[in-house]
Amino acid sequence: MATPLTPIPPQISPAPRRSASRVAIGAGFAAVATAAVIAATPGLAVAQDATYVADNGWVPELVQAPAAWDTTKGKGITVAVVDTGISEHPFFDDKDILDGYSVIDSEENGWNDTDGHGTAVTAGVLLAAPEATILPVRIDTGATDFGGALGSSEFEALRWAVDNGADVLVAPWGITGADSVFTGEYLETLQYIIDKGAVIVAGAGNDPAEEVSYPARIPGVVAVTGTDRNGNIFYDYTTTGPEVAVSAPADAMTAPVPQDASLGNTELYREIGGGTSMGSGVVGGVAALTWAAHPDLDANNVIQRLIQTAGDGSGTKGDDAGYGLVNADQAVNADGIEEVSENPLGYPMGEAGASGASPDGEDPEEPAESGADAESAGPAIGGTEGNKESNLSTIIVIAAAVVLIGAAIAVWLVLRGRGRKAAAAEEPGPFNPTNGPVQSGYHQPPGMQQQYGGAPMGGGQNYGGQTPGPQGYSSPPRGQQGYNPPPTGPDQGATWRPSDPNRQ
């Protein structure tokens, strides 16, 4: 429990008399200096929390991200997390996160994660690439099982992401079933994303008895299996197979708990099992680091650097772990990586350009309606204007400066009034009953308050409980670890649930 720290009131001692002008000037300098400090260190304006990074420090260390951070932290690359959306949380306060998109008609953007899975995966992306831009795309509420198929609204959302600036798409879920199901729009949508010049990263699955799930099993997609804290494949808890491209951390981690007031959560973090959902988020972050360090590369060569530098760096692919554990340091800094002209992992429909789209924007087809119709696709996104923290910091800086400067002016007015009274007492002037002393008004501005949402109100979210079955975001069989759907609540619109989601 956090205990408020109430400072002991200082003992006030008489201060030497100073002129009103000196006091006003001093207060003005203090106001300017304080405003400058706040502007220079926005962390002072918005409370930050280091728990997530501290608890999960082994993850970036395992993939050698700190060495890559000497070159880049992912700034300028947009990663779309196509999942249950994102929620408010102190960990995200200084991060570049856009409004995003939701398939649910009643929602204006992707900021409504009542489940927590999308929030956790987003944090995983930022764990590897702290300065990447996040585009939350909400295609699931996490409340029910989907039953093994996507619909037109989900395909539309995937296209919307790439049409609205996503460089990397992370799909931390999976669908299992007969290969005959994954035809038509299942392949066309993935082909469209790749033809538009984006990288798709997906979790292979968490069930060692299953085959690699869709979309990870589709050619052209960076399929991710999981490792333990030592970098060894998690054979007991993750899916492996010849479709896997790389591996990434999937052991137990700390995850941020959504801070939506309606959920009734009373804690900021909980431990989860990890799973290939988290591994795919980390690989999405490493892809962002790679592209930020080599902005002239296309998506094909970003993938090439990821796979050629993974594991021992030999470029040798195995049947279980693909090319091996992803290595951010080498993906960013290695020399001599041979460039390619096509996706080294292949294409969903067999060849480049099969969807009719191209990365230069000169498509023979019109963009999907979700990207062109603001009403159906949600609000348009744009650069850093979508960053909530940036706007909030600016408001706080301006408000702080106004309050401090106002205080300085008020002090000057009060002291000027006192000086006039003293002068009047020493040198009385003519009496004028209709023109007495001027009263200087001193209006104290209201105190600035900061809070993260309202008090918890009903409802709830449960990351623990029994491991889900084949339908839903499956997690390794570790009893209490994993994500369970929240209690039944108000209707949130049409929901879906992958049949073999990759999470724990």
Side-chain angles (χ1 to χ4, degrees):
M1 178 179 177
T3 304
L5 300 177
T6 304
I8 300 174
Q11 297 297 320
I12 301 176
S13 57
R17 295 184 64 181
R18 293 180 292 176
S19 69
S21 59
R22 288 187 178 182
V23 172
I25 292 172
F29 278 129
V32 173
T34 304
V37 169
I38 294 175
T41 56
L44 295 177
V46 180
Q48 300 297 305
D49 188 281
T51 302
Y52 181 78
V53 173
D55 286 1
N56 297 313
W58 66 273
V59 175
E61 289 289 343
L62 187 62
V63 300
Q64 300 189 37
W69 294 341
D70 290 339
T71 302
T72 178
K73 292 187 176 181
K75 188 176 182 63
I77 302 301
T78 298
V79 180
V81 177
V82 186
D83 200 9
T84 60
I86 191 173
S87 68
E88 298 284 353
H89 194 280
F91 173 68
F92 299 132
D93 285 343
D94 64 342
K95 303 300 187 291
D96 188 7
I97 304 178
L98 305 174
D99 288 340
Y101 172 83
S102 174
V103 300
I104 301 172
D105 292 338
S106 61
E107 297 176 355
E108 295 182 353
N109 54 47
W111 283 82
N112 189 27
D113 184 11
T114 56
D115 178 78
H117 190 254
T119 297
V121 174
T122 296
V125 174
L126 294 170
L127 193 60
E131 295 181 2
T133 298
I134 299 295
L135 178 63
V137 179
R138 176 167 152 90
I139 61 173
D140 182 21
T141 66
T144 60
D145 294 339
F146 174 58
L150 298 175
S152 59
S153 61
E154 288 76 37
F155 292 128
E156 190 175 351
L158 287 162
R159 288 172 175 258
W160 182 93
V162 71
D163 286 341
N164 285 270
D167 302 302
V168 180
L169 280 78
V170 174
W173 42 267
I175 300 173
T176 57
D179 287 346
S180 60
V181 173
F182 306 125
T183 60
E185 200 166 9
Y186 282 85
L187 297 184
E188 292 169 6
T189 300
L190 299 181
Q191 181 77 40
Y192 179 85
I193 294 168
I194 292 172
D195 285 344
K196 290 286 287 185
V199 174
I200 309 173
V201 180
N206 293 338
D207 188 344
E210 291 283 354
E211 295 182 341
V212 173
S213 59
Y214 172 93
R217 68 179 293 103
I218 303 302
V221 176
V222 181
V224 181
T225 192
T227 75
D228 59 20
R229 292 190 175 215
N230 296 317
N232 300 316
I233 298 299
F234 234 159
Y235 284 107
D236 292 340
Y237 302 122
T238 58
T239 304
T240 60
E243 299 87 356
V244 168
V246 294
S247 61
D251 211 331
M253 301 181 192
T254 295
V257 177
Q259 296 303 295
D260 188 312
S262 66
L263 299 177
N265 295 321
T266 58
E267 53 190 344
L268 285 176
Y269 298 95
R270 293 179 188 168
E271 184 174 329
I272 62 172
T276 57
S277 288
M278 297 305 297
S280 63
V282 173
V283 173
V286 175
L289 294 177
T290 305
W291 218 333
H294 303 276
D296 294 335
L297 293 183
D298 59 10
N300 298 330
N301 284 285
V302 170
I303 295 174
Q304 173 76 342
R305 291 189 72 88
L306 285 177
I307 62 178
Q308 292 298 315
T309 59
D312 61 5
S314 66
T316 303
K317 188 176 186 295
D319 288 340
D320 291 339
Y323 292 90
L325 179 65
V326 70
N327 186 319
D329 177 20
Q330 291 301 305
V332 167
N333 296 316
D335 295 324
I337 304 299
E338 182 180 357
E339 293 195 6
V340 295
S341 59
E342 294 190 336
N343 189 327
L345 301 177
Y347 294 92
M349 296 175 67
E351 60 181 352
S355 70
S358 62
D360 59 8
E362 298 177 358
D363 302 343
E365 299 177 344
E366 290 294 326
E369 285 187 13
S370 55
D373 185 349
E375 293 184 2
S376 62
I381 60 170
T384 56
E385 286 81 6
N387 184 346
K388 294 187 174 185
E389 204 286 334
S390 297
N391 294 335
L392 180 59
S393 295
T394 301
I395 293 171
I396 292 176
V397 169
I398 294 172
V402 170
V403 169
L404 292 169
I405 293 173
I409 294 172
V411 169
W412 179 77
L413 290 172
V414 169
L415 293 175
R416 185 183 68 171
R418 290 179 179 175
R420 289 183 175 180
K421 287 183 179 181
E426 294 174 3
E427 301 178 7
F431 175 74
N432 184 349
T434 62
N435 188 19
V438 176
Q439 299 294 326
S440 297
Y442 181 20
H443 300 283
Q444 176 67 45
M448 296 178 62
Q449 298 181 353
Q450 175 183 330
Q451 60 188 97
Y452 295 100
M457 301 168 49
Q461 172 190 341
N462 184 5
Y463 283 67
Q466 299 300 316
T467 303
Q471 304 292 325
Y473 286 97
S474 59
S475 59
R478 294 189 177 186
Q480 63 181 5
Q481 295 175 348
Y483 291 77
N484 280 349
T488 302
D491 181 27
Q492 300 186 52
T495 61
W496 68 279
R497 193 72 165 178
S499 63
D500 180 29
N502 305 323
R503 80 157 139 190
Q504 176 171 347

